Amino acid sequence: MRLTLLLAILCVPLPASGGAWMRDVGETFLSFSSTIDEVGQAGNSLYLTHGLRPKLTIGAKIDTDMLVGQLVNGTGFVFARKPLPTDDRSFKLAYEIGIGSTLGPDPLALLRAGLSYGRGFTLWGKSGWVALDSAAEWEVENSVTTYKLDSTIGLSLSARFQVMMQVFLTEIESDLSTTIAPSVIWRPKKDGPTRFHIGMEKEDGTFAFKLGLWRTF
């Protein structure tokens, strides 16, 4: 099934409950992660969101791929996210719009639009969550569109440990790539603001190790 069809499905009203969770007013979330794969390519990701108003979260996201210390490619965006009404159902929806550019010697302007769905659940007495995040990113000059669909399912094992499985789909001009990423999230102090994200990624047969830091303040 083409990724564009999956994005179209996400735009259909969903039958029951969940959420694309907004930041509380005044709350800031920061995450930074790095990956290194078996062929020596490194990836870095910086993600920042801030609750500006009850129905407005703003943020920034920077992704880079490095090889032998040199930038191979990357993108950077600033964005705004707003919730969509769900009539008090058990799920929430949010949409996102952003502007940015590719990173490198000849940057290209980018536009981004996204739609997110998420909901919580309880399994074996533990709290969990499911999230779907779809996006389309357009290169303004070349009219090239990148479609993305990220799916996440997570479970809180305790106040300090969570497990998570993610699948990332990316399609550029009919070329589809798939990344599977299991991971563990560890909070050193119970109810502390800092968490560490440790995991593996497999992208089209290539394995990578991932280490990340999450902090809320």
Side-chain angles (χ1 to χ4, degrees), residues 119-123 126-130 153-155:
R119 66 168 299 164
F121 65 86
T122 300
L123 180 66
K126 307 293 186 181
S127 298
W129 72 96
V130 175
I153 182 167
L155 187 67

Side-chain angles (χ1 to χ4, degrees), residues 5 24 38 40 45-46 52 55-56 58 84 87 91 95-96 108-109 122 126 137 141 150 163 168 179 181 191 204 211:
L5 177 57
D24 292 335
E38 55 190 319
S45 180
L46 176 68
L52 192 63
K55 294 185 178 181
L56 177 61
I58 58 174
L84 290 168
D87 298 326
F91 66 88
Y95 70 91
E96 182 179 298
L108 298 172
T122 300
K126 307 293 186 181
E137 299 172 357
E141 183 177 340
D150 301 343
V163 291
F168 308 120
T179 301
D191 300 324
D204 298 334
L211 180 64

Side-chain angles (χ1 to χ4, degrees), residues 29-31 162 164 185 193-195 197 212-216:
F29 173 77
L30 171 68
S31 83
Q162 297 170 309
M164 187 166 65
I185 302 162
T194 302
R195 287 173 284 178
H197 183 193
L213 171 70
W214 295 3
R215 185 173 177 84
T216 302

Side-chain angles (χ1 to χ4, degrees), residues 83-98:
L84 290 168
T86 54
D87 298 326
D88 296 323
R89 295 174 181 174
S90 57
F91 66 88
K92 295 179 182 178
L93 299 172
Y95 70 91
E96 182 179 298
I97 55 173

Side-chain angles (χ1 to χ4, degrees), residues 63-81:
D63 295 293
T64 61
D65 290 323
M66 311 285 292
L67 186 62
V68 197
Q70 300 295 317
L71 178 66
V72 177
N73 57 61
T75 59
F77 287 96
V78 292
F79 60 86
R81 181 183 302 141

Side-chain angles (χ1 to χ4, degrees), residues 14-57:
L14 295 162
S17 13
W21 299 274
M22 306 289 288
R23 290 286 157 203
D24 292 335
V25 175
E27 180 184 78
T28 300
F29 173 77
L30 171 68
S31 83
F32 177 79
S33 63
S34 293
T35 60
I36 181 72
D37 68 22
E38 55 190 319
V39 298
Q41 180 164 297
N44 298 301
S45 180
L46 176 68
Y47 180 74
L48 178 71
T49 57
H50 177 75
L52 192 63
R53 295 203 298 266
K55 294 185 178 181
L56 177 61
T57 293

